[in-house]
Amino acid sequence: IERLKIALGGAVDVESDNKSRFSFGWSGKKQAQALANQPSTATLRPSTHDSKNWDTTQNVYIEGDNLEVLKLLQKSYYGQIKMIYIDPPYNTGKDFVYKDNFHDNVKNYLQLTGQVDDEGNKISTNTDKSGRYHTDWLNMMYPRLKLARNLLKDDGVIFISIDDNEVHNLRKICDEIFGEDNFIASFIWEKRTNRENRKMVSQRHDYILCYAKNLVSELVILKQLPMNEKALANYSNPDNDHRGLWKSDPATAQAGHGTKSQFYTLVAPNGKQHHLPSGRCWLYTEDVFKQEIADGKIWFGKNGNGVPRIKTYLESKERGLTIESMWFAHDASTNEIAKNNLKTLFNDKAVFETPKPIELVKIGLQICTSKNDIILDFFSGAATTAHA
């Protein structure tokens, strides 16, 4: 009734509105929160006959309901996990959504969410389908993420693959569980390079949400990615520079980023004058540029008549490349290649429709883990994390 009054231009109860606070809720949230705190009655049993190298392996693979398993891991692995990667159901309507015990039946759900009255008559234009799908998915994810956070080390990081169906809801519950201050990035992963004929848009990317356990402590460090062969191929040493391999980069910047001292006509060692292109300025002031030329750090081409370019030395880049927010498809990191690779392991049988590529998970491993770190994946699926 209050919403109807406002929609019709009625007065707003300011005092009442000021008592409202921003929140994210859904039917079953309290039960989902409570479920994470309920002790498990399950037991882990070793299966030596299904195992390999039982006495020497450093790996543990557990088969079972991941909610119960996460509870069982709390005692032994609390605060011990450096990295978690999960690829949960995307809730597209085709995948399996876990049914935990507290779920309401459809009739009760519709009453709780105000879509039907006590007699079962519809009083809302909302579809039962959309709300219930999101609710079921949130109730499934919330307790699992809550328990997962407990397992992370203080400098631990979690990566979660997702698509447009639930990325907005996943971001909200992760903000609540991990804290907005611990959000690192919503990485965009190019999952395919070919264009699909869809009704409206060819969807070529998914998301990988990344959160830290305690980013504000300044313990979390994302390491730079090691250079691949393609990046290394850009470096050479045509002038036998004693500093080693280098590549050339532009010596100008956008004019708006420069000061007056960065606008001048540059004279090369052979006397040739180089004028700035429209809308550009030199990276250095004239005195600094002359010193860089004298030190042999500026490249004018093999004949000395080329446009001046800055030398960027491989030695200064040996730490690698800063991680970017977009992960483009390369090095066998597409869904299709992952599917084909998996088929080769099972005599050309497609045992899993949407496996993640090994190279994709390796990016996470490279930027946030070191030797002897413990990695967890509690939505194992095609076991990509174990393989990576």
Side-chain angles (χ1 to χ4, degrees), residues 22 24 167-177 211:
F22 179 80
F24 180 52
V167 65
H168 50 299
N169 288 328
L170 179 61
R171 178 79 182 265
K172 289 174 184 173
I173 58 173
C174 283
D175 281 347
E176 184 171 317
I177 293 170
Y211 282 80

Side-chain angles (χ1 to χ4, degrees), residues 102 112 167 169 197 213 224 229 238 244 258 261 266 312 315 317 322 324 342 347 369 378 381:
F102 60 80
L112 284 170
V167 65
N169 288 328
N197 289 323
K213 169 75 172 286
Q224 295 179 317
E229 290 184 10
S261 59
L266 180 69
T312 301
E315 185 178 5
K317 293 287 186 180
T322 303
E324 293 186 293
L342 195 62
N347 298 319
T369 66
F378 55 90

Side-chain angles (χ1 to χ4, degrees), residues 6-38:
I6 294 170
L8 294 175
V12 177
D13 186 349
V14 177
E15 188 173 332
S16 174
D17 189 55
N18 286 341
K19 294 177 182 177
S20 301
R21 64 184 182 88
F22 179 80
S23 62
F24 180 52
W26 64 90
S27 176
K29 182 178 181 180
K30 289 184 178 179
Q31 293 97 316
Q33 292 170 325
L35 191 63
N37 296 320
Q38 291 174 6

